[in-house]
Structures are given as structure tokens and as C-alpha cells.
Amino acid sequence: MLTFANVNSFYDRSHILHNVSLEIPTGQITAILGRNGTGKTTLLKTLMGLTDRSEGQIRLESDDLAVLPTFRRARAGIAYVPQGREIIPDFTIRNNILMGAFARTDGKREIPPLVAELFPYLMQNLDRNGGVLSGGQQQQLAIARALAADPKIILLDEPNEGIQPSIVQEIESIIVKLNRELGLTVLLVEQNIPFVRRAAQRFAMMEKGRVVEFGGIERLSDDMVHRHMAV
């Protein structure tokens, strides 16, 4: 289990997360919800050690992640697919994927069979530059890069944002498959409530840098969504 205990996080002097305590059960999809600017992305970045400063405990099983640099957190089994994907446009598809493999602890630097199974288009175009891909294909590439790390947990920050509708359903199906069939723990920042209700087993609702609601997905009522997510 991944746990946050009284976590605070900062960008320079800006205090973004306030005493966040949260449990992310192994083998489930936990959705992180809330309006824009409530700290959802900062929660993922704090987990990866990518904010200016943080306080509190972040534990993955017996490991205290809060004292580790980012690359050690990746090697502990956490892969991050950031908002905006952040692939390297001048690198080939092959090299973008293989970047993820440097987080493996077994020394293997290869494209795993799972990537070939999930993303046949990428495998057929390994020598094309990532920058020529569509937004949806770049999202597939970012997920493939994360899977090359052989992670225990994958962090997905609004994976359907800015993606053509024809690929949204495919991305959603892949996320569900990673969890249901492969047992991967998923921490998902997402605004699409119908998808969250179909895919996630648990949720955490954020407001002004704090977790204000948390529980099984059956607790995610329309009233709660309106109170904490309506603009």
C-alpha cells in the first residue's frame, strides 16, 4: 500500500498541499478528483519528488519515499505519465520508450512484450520521431515509456486531455486492462466522471490542497461532484 501522512508541498513560497493523508490500496485504481488548481497534479509531483520542497511521510510498503531522490522513487516501482505527456520530440519512438527502462532494477534495457501487445502502431513505427505523432499517439507513447520501467504503480495525470475522441476510448480501455488484467496499481487524475465511475474502485476529492472526501467509488455522488467540481 502507498500512504501519505500529513504531507505538505511547496513551490518556492507557495504552499500547495496542506496536511494530506491518504491511502492508495495495492491493485486498485484510485481517482484523484477536484477543480483545476486544487493540487491534484502537485500530489503526483510530490510523490515523485518534483516539487521544490515537501514535508511529511510518503511510504510504499516499507520504503520511506520522502527521503529518496526522484530516480530512486522511480526504481522503487513508481512510473509517471505527466499532464502534457512530455515525450522528447526529436527522439525516436524506440528511444522514448527505452528511456523508461532506465528505472528498472534488473538492468534490462528493452521494450517489454506488453508494449507490443498494447500499442502495435508504435511497434510498427519505432524509427519515427515522437514529435510527428498525434496527441493520442503521443499519449500511448508516454504510457509505453512508463510501462518500460516495469512499475508497481503508474501515475496518470489527465491521460485523455487534448486527445482526439477516436483514441479516448482506447486509452480508457488500456487503463482498465492494466489494472484488471495485470494487477497494476493506478493513481489517476481525471475530470471525466463517467469514466471514473466505470474504472476506479476508490476516489479522493481535493479542495484547496486538501483531501476533503475519500472512499469507495460508490460514495461518489452527483451532489459531491457538483459541490467540489462544478465551475
Side-chain angles (χ1 to χ4, degrees), residues 20-165:
V20 170
S21 294
L22 190 60
E23 294 183 349
I24 309 299
T26 300
Q28 295 189 7
I29 297 177
T30 300
I32 308 299
L33 307 173
R35 296 182 181 90
N36 291 334
T38 59
K40 303 184 302 294
T41 293
T42 299
L43 181 71
L44 301 190
K45 288 189 172 183
T46 302
L47 176 53
M48 294 305 301
L50 295 173
T51 61
D52 292 341
R53 179 168 59 92
S54 65
E55 302 167 349
Q57 286 193 339
I58 306 173
R59 303 193 71 88
L60 177 58
E61 298 167 353
S62 61
D63 294 328
D64 183 2
L65 299 181
V67 302
L68 299 179
T70 295
F71 79 94
R72 294 286 186 195
R73 300 184 196 204
R75 288 186 175 176
I78 303 176
Y80 179 35
V81 180
Q83 191 176 29
R85 300 174 280 278
E86 296 183 14
I87 66 153
I88 299 181
D90 293 332
F91 276 22
T92 64
I93 290 172
R94 183 194 317 275
N95 287 337
N96 267 284
I97 295 172
L98 289 176
M99 285 180 61
F102 283 92
R104 294 181 69 112
T105 56
D106 59 9
K108 291 182 180 179
R109 303 290 181 261
E110 62 188 23
I111 298 174
L114 176 61
V115 169
E117 176 188 342
L118 294 176
F119 306 113
Y121 176 83
L122 298 182
M123 297 303 295
Q124 294 161 10
N125 294 274
L126 286 172
D127 295 321
R128 297 188 74 191
N129 282 358
V132 305
L133 300 178
S134 68
Q137 291 164 344
Q138 288 188 11
Q139 186 63 276
Q140 293 176 345
L141 180 55
I143 294 172
R145 178 182 60 194
L147 294 175
D150 190 29
K152 302 173 185 174
I153 300 173
I154 188 167
L155 316 181
L156 298 165
D157 194 351
E158 299 203 25
N160 289 324
E161 183 182 46
I163 291 179
Q164 57 268 44

